[in-house]
Amino acid sequence: MEWGDLSQLQIDAIREVGNIGAGNAATALSQMLGRAVDMDVPVAGLVSIYEIGNTLGAPEDLASAVLIRVEGDFSCNLIFITSEAEARNLTELLISMDLGDLSEDQQAQMQDSALSESGNMILGAFLNALSMLTGYTLPASVPAVAHDMLGAIMNVVAAMFGVMGDTALLVRTHLHVKDVDQPIEGTVVMVPDPGSLEALLAKLGV
């Protein structure tokens, strides 16, 4: 089944999974930071995997991504994408210690570790939403982190996952952390494997 074959009811059900996942992510991030985190109403949509980059920004924009592979009853790839500046803001919130005495490589390693942890937590929140709604067990791989121009990252995504499907679910939202003026914007991209979408829709009863 392709995304284009879905009924409006089925699309709405999948979008609702994304909305619940975004809410779970805000709650998990609040617990991690020890601060209140509010969330704008998520915007969920379906786009061609080859148009994701154009949807998120200019190809030359610097971006960070965290990717996990999900196996089990609903196999898919999940990616958390944010701008490089937003990723830096997020990791600075997570790393409270002074990094001034560390080398640039050590600082980069610590920031990547924090980004991996936060991205894994956000993507895990989406998996928990799916598991809660379906009863599925959804084991995930160790997260991988990438930094590059947005166009370059999405070209890799299209090359890796284009053989699995042409369309992806995007869930975008702004997270407002207490005492932080600038909201954090991030997008979760879900690319299901062929055949797994039917099982998910059957479990959702649509």
Side-chain angles (χ1 to χ4, degrees):
M1 178 183 290
E2 297 293 334
W3 288 101
D5 300 326
L6 298 175
S7 69
Q8 188 59 51
L9 182 62
Q10 291 170 325
I11 292 173
D12 289 344
I14 294 173
R15 283 176 173 160
E16 184 59 18
V17 172
N19 291 340
I20 295 172
N24 287 355
T27 300
L29 187 60
S30 176
Q31 293 170 346
M32 177 180 284
L33 295 174
R35 305 187 190 190
V37 177
D38 294 324
M39 179 188 68
D40 291 344
V41 176
V43 177
L46 305 176
V47 300
S48 165
I49 193 171
Y50 304 105
E51 297 296 326
I52 294 175
N54 294 331
T55 303
L56 299 182
E60 63 274 16
D61 289 347
L62 294 178
S64 297
V66 180
L67 181 147
I68 60 173
R69 170 71 185 164
V70 181
E71 300 289 352
D73 298 310
F74 177 70
S75 54
C76 68
N77 295 286
L78 276 175
I79 311 160
F80 173 69
I81 301 175
T82 187
S83 71
E84 190 71 13
E86 302 276 5
R88 192 178 307 113
N89 291 339
L90 181 58
T91 55
E92 286 177 354
L93 284 172
L94 292 170
I95 302 174
S96 57
M97 68 181 69
D98 183 5
L99 302 181
D101 293 335
L102 300 180
S103 67
E104 290 187 5
D105 283 347
Q106 289 172 322
Q107 291 185 29
Q109 288 175 8
M110 289 201 66
Q111 289 167 344
D112 267 3
S113 177
L115 178 62
S116 175
E117 184 177 353
S118 58
N120 191 42
M121 178 272 298
I122 290 170
L123 297 175
F126 277 81
L127 289 182
N128 287 339
L130 268 177
S131 182
M132 179 184 65
L133 291 170
T134 61
Y136 285 159
T137 299
L138 300 168
S141 68
V142 174
V145 175
H147 303 276
D148 209 327
M149 291 188 293
L150 177 61
I153 291 176
M154 297 320 304
N155 284 341
V156 172
V157 170
M160 291 175 63
F161 307 134
V163 295
M164 300 178 181
D166 290 335
T167 311
L169 170 68
L170 265 63
V171 181
R172 305 180 71 176
T173 189
H174 289 87
L175 299 171
H176 301 269
V177 182
K178 183 180 180 182
D179 299 327
V180 176
D181 294 334
Q182 189 71 24
I184 297 170
E185 179 178 3
T187 301
V188 172
V189 180
M190 182 176 72
V191 186
D193 284 6
S196 62
L197 189 58
E198 289 87 340
L200 173 64
L201 293 171
K203 273 289 184 180
L204 294 175
V206 294

